[in-house]
Short mmCIF file of all heavy atoms in Angstrom, two decimals:
data_model
loop_
_atom_site.label_atom_id
_atom_site.label_comp_id
_atom_site.label_asym_id
_atom_site.label_seq_id
_atom_site.Cartn_x
_atom_site.Cartn_y
_atom_site.Cartn_z
N ALA A 91 -48.25 127.46 83.03
CA ALA A 91 -49.53 128.05 82.63
C ALA A 91 -49.33 129.32 81.80
O ALA A 91 -50.12 129.61 80.89
CB ALA A 91 -50.37 128.35 83.86
N LEU A 92 -48.27 130.08 82.10
CA LEU A 92 -47.98 131.30 81.34
C LEU A 92 -47.37 130.99 79.98
O LEU A 92 -47.68 131.65 78.99
CB LEU A 92 -47.03 132.19 82.14
CG LEU A 92 -47.64 132.89 83.36
CD1 LEU A 92 -46.53 133.43 84.27
CD2 LEU A 92 -48.56 134.03 82.91
N GLU A 93 -46.50 129.98 79.92
CA GLU A 93 -45.73 129.74 78.70
C GLU A 93 -46.28 128.59 77.85
O GLU A 93 -45.99 128.52 76.66
CB GLU A 93 -44.27 129.46 79.08
CG GLU A 93 -43.62 130.65 79.77
CD GLU A 93 -42.18 130.39 80.21
OE1 GLU A 93 -41.65 129.29 79.92
OE2 GLU A 93 -41.58 131.30 80.82
N HIS A 94 -47.08 127.70 78.47
CA HIS A 94 -47.64 126.55 77.73
C HIS A 94 -49.12 126.37 78.09
O HIS A 94 -49.52 125.31 78.57
CB HIS A 94 -46.86 125.28 78.07
CG HIS A 94 -45.38 125.38 77.85
ND1 HIS A 94 -44.80 125.28 76.61
CD2 HIS A 94 -44.36 125.62 78.73
CE1 HIS A 94 -43.48 125.42 76.72
NE2 HIS A 94 -43.20 125.62 77.99
N PRO A 95 -49.94 127.39 77.84
CA PRO A 95 -51.34 127.29 78.26
C PRO A 95 -52.12 126.21 77.52
O PRO A 95 -53.15 125.75 78.02
CB PRO A 95 -51.90 128.69 77.96
CG PRO A 95 -50.99 129.25 76.90
CD PRO A 95 -49.63 128.69 77.22
N GLN A 96 -51.63 125.78 76.36
CA GLN A 96 -52.29 124.69 75.66
C GLN A 96 -52.07 123.36 76.38
O GLN A 96 -52.78 122.39 76.13
CB GLN A 96 -51.80 124.60 74.20
CG GLN A 96 -50.40 124.02 74.02
CD GLN A 96 -49.26 124.96 74.41
OE1 GLN A 96 -49.49 126.11 74.81
NE2 GLN A 96 -48.03 124.48 74.29
N HIS A 97 -51.08 123.34 77.24
CA HIS A 97 -50.77 122.11 77.97
C HIS A 97 -51.16 122.22 79.44
O HIS A 97 -51.78 121.31 80.00
CB HIS A 97 -49.27 121.79 77.86
CG HIS A 97 -48.95 120.39 78.22
ND1 HIS A 97 -48.88 119.37 77.30
CD2 HIS A 97 -48.74 119.80 79.43
CE1 HIS A 97 -48.61 118.23 77.92
NE2 HIS A 97 -48.51 118.47 79.21
N ALA A 98 -50.78 123.30 80.09
CA ALA A 98 -51.21 123.56 81.47
C ALA A 98 -52.51 124.36 81.38
O ALA A 98 -52.51 125.59 81.36
CB ALA A 98 -50.14 124.33 82.22
N ARG A 99 -53.64 123.67 81.31
CA ARG A 99 -54.91 124.28 80.96
C ARG A 99 -55.64 124.87 82.16
O ARG A 99 -56.67 125.52 81.99
CB ARG A 99 -55.79 123.27 80.24
CG ARG A 99 -55.19 122.87 78.89
CD ARG A 99 -56.09 121.96 78.11
NE ARG A 99 -55.47 121.57 76.84
CZ ARG A 99 -56.02 120.70 76.00
NH1 ARG A 99 -57.19 120.14 76.30
NH2 ARG A 99 -55.40 120.39 74.88
N ALA A 100 -55.15 124.64 83.33
CA ALA A 100 -55.65 125.29 84.54
C ALA A 100 -54.52 125.23 85.56
O ALA A 100 -53.66 124.33 85.51
CB ALA A 100 -56.90 124.61 85.08
N LEU A 101 -54.52 126.19 86.48
CA LEU A 101 -53.39 126.35 87.41
C LEU A 101 -53.87 126.37 88.84
O LEU A 101 -54.72 127.19 89.21
CB LEU A 101 -52.66 127.66 87.09
CG LEU A 101 -51.62 128.13 88.11
CD1 LEU A 101 -50.43 127.18 88.15
CD2 LEU A 101 -51.16 129.56 87.78
N GLY A 102 -53.32 125.48 89.65
CA GLY A 102 -53.54 125.51 91.09
C GLY A 102 -52.22 125.76 91.79
O GLY A 102 -51.25 125.02 91.57
N VAL A 103 -52.16 126.80 92.62
CA VAL A 103 -50.94 127.14 93.36
C VAL A 103 -51.24 127.00 94.84
O VAL A 103 -52.16 127.64 95.36
CB VAL A 103 -50.45 128.56 93.03
CG1 VAL A 103 -49.20 128.88 93.84
CG2 VAL A 103 -50.17 128.71 91.54
N ILE A 104 -50.46 126.17 95.52
CA ILE A 104 -50.61 125.96 96.96
C ILE A 104 -49.41 126.60 97.65
O ILE A 104 -48.27 126.15 97.49
CB ILE A 104 -50.67 124.46 97.30
CG1 ILE A 104 -51.81 123.78 96.53
CG2 ILE A 104 -50.83 124.25 98.81
CD1 ILE A 104 -51.78 122.26 96.61
N ASP A 105 -49.64 127.68 98.38
CA ASP A 105 -48.58 128.37 99.10
C ASP A 105 -47.36 128.61 98.23
O ASP A 105 -46.23 128.29 98.60
CB ASP A 105 -48.22 127.59 100.37
CG ASP A 105 -49.35 127.62 101.38
OD1 ASP A 105 -49.58 128.66 101.99
OD2 ASP A 105 -50.02 126.58 101.54
N GLY A 106 -47.61 129.17 97.07
CA GLY A 106 -46.54 129.56 96.16
C GLY A 106 -46.71 131.03 95.79
O GLY A 106 -47.78 131.62 96.00
N THR A 107 -45.69 131.63 95.23
CA THR A 107 -45.70 133.07 94.99
C THR A 107 -44.92 133.41 93.73
O THR A 107 -43.94 132.72 93.40
CB THR A 107 -45.09 133.81 96.21
OG1 THR A 107 -44.96 135.19 95.92
CG2 THR A 107 -43.72 133.26 96.58
N PRO A 108 -45.31 134.46 93.01
CA PRO A 108 -44.54 134.86 91.82
C PRO A 108 -43.21 135.51 92.16
O PRO A 108 -42.33 135.60 91.30
CB PRO A 108 -45.47 135.87 91.13
CG PRO A 108 -46.29 136.44 92.24
CD PRO A 108 -46.50 135.30 93.20
N LYS A 109 -43.05 135.98 93.40
CA LYS A 109 -41.78 136.57 93.83
C LYS A 109 -41.61 136.22 95.30
O LYS A 109 -42.43 136.59 96.14
CB LYS A 109 -41.78 138.08 93.62
CG LYS A 109 -40.50 138.77 94.11
CD LYS A 109 -40.50 140.24 93.77
CE LYS A 109 -39.37 141.01 94.46
NZ LYS A 109 -38.04 140.48 94.18
#
Side-chain angles (χ1 to χ4, degrees):
L92 288 165
E93 298 178 3
H94 305 281
Q96 75 285 358
H97 197 93
R99 294 185 181 175
L101 169 66
V103 179
I104 303 169
D105 292 287
T107 173
K109 177 174 169 57

